[in-house]
Amino acid sequence: MLQQTPVNGGGRPLIEIRNLVKHFGHVIALNGVSITVNAGEVHCLLGDNGAGKSTLIKTLSGVYLPTAGDFLVDGERARFSSPRDALDAGIATVYQDLAMIPLMSVTRNFFMGREPRGGVWPFRYVDFKHCDGVARDEMRKIGIDVRDPEQAVGTLSGGERQCVAIARAVYFGAKVLILDEPTSALGVSQTSMVLKYINQVRARGLGVIFITHNVRHARAVGQRFTVLNRGRTLGTFTKSEISIDELQNLMAGGKELQELSAELGGTV
């Protein structure tokens, strides 16, 4: 029998969600989800397709308003009416599509929407020399040498683009980083690059919500694991409390896997 970690751990969490509910008409997308995210922690959110992961992160990032439940940021009740509200509260989300424009430069993507401007109106301008230096330095900190920050971001590998998106969020003051399937379309070496950087971000004291359906990637960097199924929280566990196989069975439905294995002669 798996022993579940209490949802509310010691100390004040960066984010605390209590019995979060989200309805779309008669469709119940979330039905009582509870998780906490602490500083210096990677909290992995696991679940199969349709488990409610995407709805949850869009609710946390201000895209959707919850139907019911409590959402606390630094111990204070929060209600975001837009993604800008979430960003202002220090919650940054990196989606699978990265929200980047491939033909634009690394620098332009890094500062998109937040370009530092000098001069006096109406003679305002963007100091691209400064921006290039910042983009180059921030990427170098994580071991990526961008020789020319004016190169198109589409020329970077998938792992490097993920790191640009994460570095951008960290640079602009994120306290909680929500990563939506960051390794789903990457090869082995690129996945290692992203997982290594996620661990660096955690070591800086940020809280990370790592959404994935890959249990091995989650176990590589996570300290706690919450499993969703059909909009419900099935449990939150530390690494010492649950094995890879137990996580996989909980996520996919252990009974169904056992029945399929028996039907196929034990090959699953």
Side-chain angles (χ1 to χ4, degrees), residues 47-53 181 213 251:
D48 207 349
N49 292 336
K53 303 189 301 298
E181 300 276 6
H213 62 272
M251 184 177 130

Side-chain angles (χ1 to χ4, degrees), residues 14-29:
L14 294 175
I15 285 181
E16 187 172 2
I17 303 158
R18 302 172 185 164
N19 299 315
L20 199 70
V21 175
K22 178 60 183 175
H23 294 175
F24 295 99
H26 295 295
V27 177
I28 303 174

Side-chain angles (χ1 to χ4, degrees), residues 8 16 21 24 40 50 52 59 72 76 79 95 108 112-114 121 135 151 154 158 168-169 173 193 203 234 243:
N8 189 12
E16 187 172 2
V21 175
F24 295 99
T59 303
L72 287 79
E76 302 290 332
R79 186 176 177 85
Y95 293 100
R108 293 298 296 268
M112 191 185 304
R114 295 188 175 187
W121 189 90
Q151 73 187 83
R168 176 177 62 188
M193 176 193 301
L234 296 185
S243 68

